[in-house]
Amino acid sequence: MFRALRQIFLLSLCLLPAAAFSYASNSGSECPALDATSVQARQSLMHYICYYSAAPDDPAHNAETPDDLPAQLNWRLAEGQDLVFSHTPSVYWIRLNVTNPNEHRSLWYLKLNYALIDEVTFWQSGSGSNPMIETGDRRPFDSRGIDYRYFLLPVTLDSAETKAITMRVKSSGALNVPLTFESPSEVIVQSNHLTLTHGLFYGALLVFSVFNLLLFFSSGTIYYFYNAFYMAAMGLFMFAMGGFANQYFWPNSANFANTSIPLSLVLCALSMTLFGRSFLEIGQKTWDDLTTKALAWACAGFLGLTLLLPYSTTILLNTVLALTVLASLFVIAIGRWRQGYQAAMWYVLAWLVMLTGGLIYALAAFGYLADFLAREALMQVVVGGQVVLLNYAMVQRWRLLNEKLLAVEHSARTNLEIKVHERTSQLRNTMRELEKANRQLAALSLNDALTGLQNRRHMDNILPELCAEARRTGHPLTIVLLDADHFKTINDTWGHSFGDTFLQLIADILTRHTKRPRDVAIRFGGEEFALLLPGTGTEGARQLSESILQAIESTSLVSPDGASARITVSAGVAALSPGEDKDSLFKRADDALYRAKAEGRNRIIVSDHTPIDEA
């Protein structure tokens, strides 16, 4: 009995009309059937997908329906990998068998999660040669049937029913075919999640853009406008790449939907160039200035070409241009950072993040990396991070400018107070007597401008008084004359500016070693210095001089050519003798200094006259 039933079943299969299986024979008998009710199977969809690449010379390339395909095709299993193809003229046929082992009729959706495909056509077994959906971004948006940025095919299966789904995809650019098979609840949950994510992302871009625009209107600072321009252009580019612009902005303009992507990309490159040029405060007539000008003009030229050349050409050219702009601005920012422009540090970090994310996103968009949805999410994180870093960089720049302004204000206030004090002092001295007023006016120029030490005029004024005091009290008075060795060689080798740095170094060391309140450090010539030491004998002056010479000799400076430079000084010491005047004292110290120079420099010579405290 069972054998008879089996023979009847086989005979009935043979007698079924050929037309009922004509589509099935071309629609996936080689591919394993997907259990639509199994969550794990749906998550492993790419293990059930078969595809065929039809080159232009392949008969399948010109097939318009599954019935037009040759009877025998070399279908290939996706083997769990996303279908990602770089720029290709081929037509791709994709096949999926799905079955519903449940007892109830159910609905699922086959979702193609990539918006930038020129032609997408879906068939289901039983529909004959009539496509279920014939759409793509070369057609009006309402051709999709479902108001969604990606492509959705509803698949309804009766109990124990098996259907074969066939897709035909073709695009003039790179081809990404990330597919998922989801239940309605999964589609809704995923859509809600993405709605929240995209809402936060584009909302934040809009808020930052408007905020920078308001800052521009209130302050007139141009880089705020360029930053708002950049964020608006980047938001438009991401909006177009994600399929939202086609869905909401120009659903009936299929041609412009394609053009908007390279167009917004070149606008991003232009705004990045203008913002970087302004924010980094690039000097005029420098290589950085020429580079950013060339990039800006290149962006303007590519903007015109985008409206004339086909999409497949402009998207490649504009991507290369954008990556070139990113890399160039990154290098320029590093240079400005090394030049001491502190705000460039955060700019460098922002551009490093953007350069890395942009490169990964470009590779995914051109078909060199799989999982485009993950790359899109990564790009949103990258853009969000860059926007935060750029705005933080502007905050830091504002802080630095504010500090400079406060410093200028403080300096102006201090100078004003000093001037008021000086004028008051002059007025009081003038009211007392003319001579004191003249001496007070002369005191205004008693300091050396370069080193901050007292100058020759102060020494001429104070030395006679100190000599008279020493003779009257019997306390010692010692003068030390110091002269920088081979100072002309330093000026000739590294310039007077570097020589001035050495003079300031010597002055600083003299100031640190003359700690007593009455000790006076003086610069009385080009590289000549003097110490007036009331109450100090020759031995104390010699020990002090040795400490000074050792400190100067052990201190080095980095020269303009990067070498380590040092300097030495020679010193002559003389103590006031009984009955000696200031001119004789100064001459003996000068003679001792001359002997120190003649005996090899970097040494101390003490005059041998009897000082006043040893008489």
Side-chain angles (χ1 to χ4, degrees):
M1 178 178 179
F2 287 103
R3 181 178 297 178
L5 291 173
R6 179 182 176 186
Q7 290 177 348
I8 294 172
F9 177 75
L10 292 175
L11 181 62
S12 65
L13 289 178
C14 295
L15 295 176
L16 283 173
F21 286 90
S22 63
Y23 179 74
S25 65
N26 282 335
S27 59
S29 58
E30 303 89 344
C31 304
L34 169 70
D35 180 358
T37 62
S38 171
V39 176
Q40 292 182 346
R42 294 200 302 271
Q43 292 175 348
S44 303
L45 172 67
M46 299 312 295
H47 289 281
Y48 298 89
I49 291 290
C50 294
Y51 70 95
Y52 179 79
S53 173
D57 56 351
D58 192 317
H61 185 275
N62 298 320
E64 297 295 334
T65 69
D67 292 337
D68 298 333
L69 292 173
Q72 298 297 326
L73 287 181
N74 185 22
W75 293 95
R76 298 178 59 185
L77 276 171
E79 298 179 348
Q81 302 297 319
D82 281 346
L83 301 182
V84 179
F85 310 99
S86 58
H87 185 83
T88 173
S90 299
V91 170
Y92 287 85
W93 290 89
I94 299 168
R95 180 173 291 175
L96 172 66
N97 293 328
V98 291
T99 183
N100 178 18
N102 257 357
E103 297 179 356
H104 306 288
R105 184 181 187 184
S106 299
L107 170 67
W108 290 269
Y109 288 94
L110 179 63
K111 185 164 64 170
L112 173 53
N113 298 291
Y114 188 69
L116 308 181
I117 299 180
D118 292 346
E119 300 176 20
V120 182
T121 310
F122 295 93
W123 290 268
Q124 296 185 41
S125 57
S127 65
S129 61
N130 297 319
M132 294 293 296
I133 297 177
E134 188 174 5
T135 183
D137 68 353
R138 291 287 187 183
R139 296 177 177 271
F141 188 81
D142 58 8
S143 65
R144 306 184 184 200
I146 299 177
D147 187 12
Y148 190 69
R149 63 174 179 142
Y150 293 144
F151 305 102
L152 283 175
L153 173 68
V155 180
T156 302
L157 296 174
D158 291 327
S159 174
E161 182 182 13
T162 298
K163 282 187 177 180
I165 301 170
T166 303
M167 294 173 53
R168 180 184 184 273
V169 294
K170 182 181 180 182
S171 190
S172 59
L175 195 61
N176 283 271
V177 193
L179 294 167
T180 57
F181 196 75
E182 302 174 5
S183 66
S185 61
E186 289 172 336
V187 173
I188 293 172
V189 170
Q190 182 71 6
S191 178
N192 289 340
H193 174 71
L194 291 178
T195 298
L196 176 62
T197 302
H198 292 307
L200 291 174
F201 174 72
Y202 292 110
L205 275 185
L206 180 62
V207 169
F208 274 112
S209 181
V210 172
F211 178 68
N212 277 267
L213 200 60
L214 293 176
L215 288 176
F216 164 70
F217 287 129
S218 63
S219 67
T221 305
I222 191 63
Y223 64 76
Y224 287 125
F225 174 78
Y226 291 146
N227 193 31
F229 177 25
Y230 166 64
M231 286 186 287
M234 178 57 71
L236 179 60
F237 170 70
M238 296 293 294
F239 211 61
M241 284 292 292
F244 292 109
N246 190 16
Q247 181 179 6
Y248 295 111
F249 288 170
W250 33 79
N252 298 318
S253 301
N255 289 332
F256 189 74
N258 277 279
T259 305
S260 65
I261 296 173
L263 187 65
S264 58
L265 182 58
V266 75
L267 288 175
C268 286
L270 177 61
S271 59
M272 284 189 291
T273 303
L274 296 176
F275 174 74
R277 177 182 173 84
S278 175
F279 179 83
L280 294 174
E281 296 183 358
I282 295 174
Q284 296 293 322
K285 297 181 180 180
T286 61
W287 281 110
D288 293 345
D289 178 50
L290 296 176
T291 300
T292 51
K293 283 183 178 178
L295 290 174
W297 281 110
C299 293
F302 276 53
L303 191 62
L305 292 176
T306 302
L307 301 175
L308 301 176
L309 298 178
Y311 167 83
S312 58
T313 302
T314 57
I315 189 62
L316 178 61
L317 292 177
N318 292 356
T319 299
V320 173
L321 174 64
L323 291 176
T324 302
V325 167
L326 280 171
S328 301
L329 291 175
F330 179 68
V331 172
I332 291 172
I334 290 177
R336 291 290 291 127
W337 185 10
R338 295 182 62 184
Q339 292 170 6
Y341 186 60
Q342 296 182 9
M345 178 184 70
W346 297 102
Y347 186 92
V348 167
L349 293 177
W351 243 239
L352 177 61
V353 169
M354 187 61 186
L355 183 60
T356 304
L359 183 59
I360 295 174
Y361 189 66
L363 290 174
F366 282 103
Y368 294 102
L369 291 177
D371 199 355
F372 180 78
L373 284 178
R375 313 304 174 187
E376 182 184 44
L378 172 65
M379 190 61 182
Q380 289 182 349
V381 173
V382 165
V383 172
Q386 188 210 26
V387 167
V388 171
L389 288 172
L390 283 180
N391 283 273
Y392 186 75
M394 289 191 293
V395 170
Q396 292 300 310
R397 188 178 186 273
W398 178 85
R399 182 183 62 81
L400 292 173
L401 291 175
N402 190 51
E403 289 178 355
K404 290 181 180 179
L405 179 62
L406 291 176
V408 171
E409 181 182 357
H410 176 72
S411 177
R413 184 182 302 164
T414 302
N415 291 336
L416 180 61
E417 292 175 354
I418 292 174
K419 289 181 180 179
V420 169
H421 177 74
E422 290 173 351
R423 297 298 183 269
T424 303
S425 178
Q426 291 175 15
L427 180 60
R428 289 175 179 174
N429 291 334
T430 302
M431 294 174 61
R432 291 172 184 167
E433 50 183 318
L434 183 59
E435 181 181 356
K436 290 183 179 181
N438 291 333
R439 292 178 60 187
Q440 190 65 33
L441 289 173
L444 296 175
S445 59
L446 295 181
N447 287 348
D448 175 58
L450 176 64
T451 63
L453 301 180
Q454 304 291 339
N455 61 13
R456 179 64 178 267
R457 177 177 295 179
H458 182 72
M459 186 175 70
D460 292 341
N461 290 339
I462 197 173
L463 185 57
E465 297 177 3
L466 294 177
C467 289
E469 179 184 341
R471 286 192 294 268
R472 184 175 65 255
T473 61
H475 294 161
L477 170 65
T478 306
I479 181 172
V480 180
L481 298 184
L482 304 100
D483 186 82
D485 297 331
H486 301 296
F487 189 71
K488 184 177 183 302
T489 302
I490 291 176
N491 282 337
D492 293 342
T493 304
W494 293 299
H496 289 275
S497 177
F498 188 63
D500 290 345
T501 304
F502 261 123
L503 294 178
Q504 291 170 339
L505 170 67
I506 295 171
D508 181 61
I509 292 174
L510 292 179
T511 302
R512 285 191 279 111
H513 282 76
T514 52
K515 300 178 180 178
R516 299 193 312 172
R518 299 196 63 197
D519 293 344
V520 181
I522 296 167
R523 180 192 177 201
F524 68 90
E527 65 271 18
E528 299 169 321
F529 298 85
L531 297 177
L532 301 182
L533 306 174
T536 299
T538 54
E539 181 60 24
R542 185 186 60 78
Q543 293 177 2
L544 176 62
S545 300
E546 287 179 352
S547 299
I548 292 172
L549 264 63
Q550 290 175 3
I552 294 173
E553 183 182 11
S554 61
T555 304
S556 64
L557 295 177
V558 178
S559 64
D561 58 8
S564 178
R566 297 175 184 271
I567 197 171
T568 60
V569 298
S570 302
V573 180
L576 185 67
S577 299
E580 187 177 26
D581 60 11
K582 67 178 183 65
D583 294 330
S584 174
L585 173 63
F586 187 86
K587 184 177 184 307
R588 286 196 298 109
D590 191 49
D591 291 342
L593 173 62
Y594 181 79
R595 285 173 53 199
K597 289 280 190 180
E599 292 181 11
R601 296 181 171 83
N602 192 21
R603 63 191 61 225
I604 304 164
I605 299 297
V606 180
S607 176
D608 54 2
H609 278 228
T610 303
I612 196 170
D613 60 340
E614 297 177 3

